[in-house]
Amino acid sequence: MMRQADLSCALDFLRAAERLKDTFRSGFTAEGRPESTAAHTWRLALMAIVFEKDLGEIDFGHLLKILIVHDLAEALSGDVPAVAQMPGEEKAAQERADLMELTAPLDPPRRQTILDLWEEYEAGATPEARLAKGLDKLETILQHNQGLNPPDFDYRFNLAYGRSATDAHPLLQEIRAVLDAETEARAENS
C-alpha cells in the first residue's frame, strides 16, 4: 500500500502536470483552436497503439511511457516551435530543469523513473526512443496538415522537419511519404 505522504505528493505532481492541458503548441486543430501539448501527447500515444503491430520487436509499454513523458516539461516553460528554435539555445537544458521542478513532489524512485524516460527520449539511443522521436515528428506533421492554420503557415518547413527521426524505421518512412504528399498539396493550395 502506498504511504499517505507519497500519495499526497503524487497527486500534487499530477495537479501540476495538468498545466499541459493549457500549454499550447504552434499547430491548430481542424476547428482552428490552438493545439495543446496534452492533446498532442494523447494522439501521439494513440498513433503508437494504431501502428503497434507494425513496429517490430520493441517493448511497447516502454514506448508508451516515453511518449507520455517526452513533452512533460513543457508544462512549465511551454512549447518552443521548431521554426522558432535558434542554434545554440539550450532547449534540452531548460526542459530538464523544468522537469526537475515539476517532478520535485514525487518520491525519489517515481521521480527518477520519469527523469530516466525523458533522458532516454532525449538521447534517442534505444529503439523505443528512436521510434518515439519519429512518431513525435509525424504526429506534428499530421496535425499541421489537418489543422486550420493561419494564412501565412509555412507548410514547406515540414518537408525537412524531423527527417532523420522519421528515417529511423521503415514504417515511419512509409507514413512520412504519405504525409509529405499531403504537405505538398497543402503548400500548393495555401
Side-chain angles (χ1 to χ4, degrees):
M1 183 175 245
M2 190 174 201
R3 291 180 355 163
Q4 187 63 37
D6 290 341
L7 177 60
S8 179
C9 290
L11 291 172
D12 287 346
F13 162 73
L14 291 169
R15 287 182 188 102
E18 187 263 353
R19 291 172 62 176
L20 277 183
K21 293 180 179 185
D22 292 319
T23 301
F24 296 113
R25 294 168 50 86
S26 63
F28 294 85
T29 68
E31 299 293 321
R33 287 182 295 113
E35 177 196 25
S36 74
T37 301
H40 160 70
T41 300
W42 163 78
R43 187 159 78 167
L44 180 55
L46 183 62
M47 189 178 205
I49 291 168
V50 167
F51 294 117
E52 176 182 7
K53 70 179 182 105
D54 304 300
L55 295 174
E57 295 296 316
I58 61 156
D59 181 338
F60 188 73
H62 191 68
L63 171 63
L64 284 178
K65 289 176 184 181
I66 292 170
L67 294 175
I68 296 297
V69 166
H70 88 285
D71 278 341
L72 187 57
E74 292 180 9
L76 298 186
S77 292
D79 178 51
V80 179
V83 296
Q85 292 175 21
M86 303 306 256
E89 283 186 348
E90 290 298 323
K91 179 180 182 264
Q94 179 63 54
E95 285 188 358
R96 187 172 203 299
D98 288 347
L99 192 59
M100 293 293 291
E101 180 180 339
L102 187 66
T103 59
L106 293 171
D107 62 83
R110 291 176 214 282
R111 183 182 199 202
Q112 195 60 53
T113 295
I114 291 174
L115 295 173
D116 288 348
L117 290 164
W118 185 85
E119 293 285 354
E120 183 178 346
Y121 176 82
E122 283 298 304
T126 64
E128 292 82 5
R130 286 189 294 277
L131 280 168
K133 282 182 173 282
L135 289 168
D136 178 42
K137 304 309 181 204
L138 293 173
E139 197 287 327
T140 298
I141 296 167
L142 178 65
Q143 188 61 53
H144 287 166
N145 287 346
Q146 183 178 6
L148 183 60
N149 300 307
D152 64 343
F153 190 85
D154 182 9
Y155 291 97
R156 294 200 185 282
F157 177 84
N158 284 335
L159 293 172
Y161 172 68
R163 179 70 61 184
S164 63
T166 61
D167 283 349
H169 189 279
L171 175 64
L172 302 181
Q173 293 170 4
E174 287 181 55
I175 298 167
R176 180 67 187 242
V178 172
L179 295 180
D180 279 354
E182 289 178 5
T183 299
E184 285 283 3
R186 287 292 306 256
E188 292 296 321
N189 293 322
S190 64

